[in-house]
Amino acid sequence: MSSFKSIPGTFDILPEGHTSGGDAIAPSRAWQYVESTIRSVMALYGAEEIRTPILEPTELIARGIGQLTDIVSKEMFAFERGSTNYVLRPEVTAPVMRAYQQHHLSQKGGVQRLFYIGPCFRAERPQKGRYRQFHQFGLELIGSTDARADAETIACAVDVYKALGLTDFKVRINSVGDASSRPRYKEALIAFITPFADQLSEVSRQRLESNPMRILDTKIEKEKELLKGAPLLRDFLDEASRVHFDEVKAHLQSVGIPFEEDPFLVRGLDYYSQTAFEIESDDLGSQGSLAGGGRYDLLSTELGSKTVIPAVGFAAGMERLLMALEAAGKLNVEAARPEVFLVALGEAALDWAFHTARTLRSAGISTGYDLNGRSMKAQMREANRQNSRYVVIVGDDELAAGAAQVKDMDQSSQRTVDFDQLATQLKA
Ligand code: HAM
């Protein structure tokens, strides 16, 4: 046994489900099933996959997400090598916008829908549903200011969940206004909170200095109580933002997507303007946020573009989705079943099995056999464990006859098949 273990907050994904740090980790086939469903839904939206590096320049993330956010100030896995600063990407939106600009993707014209599935890294305190290496899937819709784009992004996330059979989730939305409405709002919020600042937690007191809107995001009941009469951003929205928000809500209603308006919803990343949303599961407890996103029209200029590239998107946690599916009993993905298991008795038969496995596999028939020279009983047990449809038994007698016993495990029947007929008969 190795004395090495995976780092807390990271985990292995194995052929069978297991637990890691108290959390259930779904088997790899469940991940594959969810990923392939995501790909099918993304195809329905005409979204194409983008794969960006795990390593990005630290400055891209710091500028994109915002210096004062938790992610950038405390949670980055960043390091220096030579004269370059690297970060393990904590999210994929800023990298996608970087790639969009770097490769002049706007030249294609029109709107681009780009989706991704892959690992992200945040140095958070590991707990249920919160990891240091986790996986996101997401969609970025780039090149439109239309409120339908915002509604479509939310619809896409909802459709992924629906396609997987998840029903217990809620969409919460808010408008965080534009760059002109926020400073006025911040001022009003600071004026409201300052008189009782000494009753706030350490974290919230710090946020009052650095990022007061994030105080609204508190999970502490006492603070929620204190914030009850706080000024609301929606009362500070400029006309254009108000109209845009009303349109997004109307579009969601028109396609029957239920949502709740939450004036306290503020996201933990600074690039948002206008629409912000989260999708929450009822089954997940404290780490209930399945997905989050919103509009980020000013990220492009923050990253150096001369013109504003309007964009909206969402990202969702794979781990939390898998947990929610498991809790809802929607994750019964059966192991793939090998079609054939070759039971070989003796050295010559094992050699035959090695060659025959190759022939059958070339014919597209999944085939297993035992490589440990075990007893017939042990090999039959293995065939059963793998739930093979057919078992082919070969010993010296069969080798001499050039024909094998083929057991059909579903029909409980048995027949003799010539070696050279095996592939065609098994295929039929
Ligand atoms: P985010 O809210 O930071 O948004 O993350 C999106 C989702 O990733 C969360 O709702 C959650 O399911 C999952 N997630 C985040 N951190 C962790 C963690 N430590 N462990 C497990 N799951 C986690 C973004 O990342 C934005 N880029 C979303 C976006 C896309 N906005 C526009 N486009």
Side-chain angles (χ1 to χ4, degrees), residues 91 93 122 124 129 131 136 140 267 271-272 289-290 292 313 317:
E91 60 105 52
T93 308
R122 296 184 192 175
E124 300 193 78
Y131 307 94
Q136 280 190 345
E140 309 296 347
R267 305 264 306 127
Y271 48 57
Y272 294 109
S289 180
L290 278 176

Side-chain angles (χ1 to χ4, degrees), residues 165-186:
L166 201 65
T167 48
D168 282 352
F169 59 85
K170 272 195 212 74
V171 178
R172 294 186 299 126
I173 70 170
N174 191 19
S175 174
V176 294
D178 70 358
S180 75
S181 34
R182 254 172 301 180
R184 285 191 297 126
Y185 174 63
K186 263 188 205 164

Side-chain angles (χ1 to χ4, degrees), residues 18 55 127 205 223 289 359:
H18 67 113
L55 288 175
Q127 51 187 295
R205 270 205 305 276
E223 295 192 345
S289 180
T359 309

Side-chain angles (χ1 to χ4, degrees), residues 87 158 167 406:
V87 63
V158 166
T167 48
V406 176

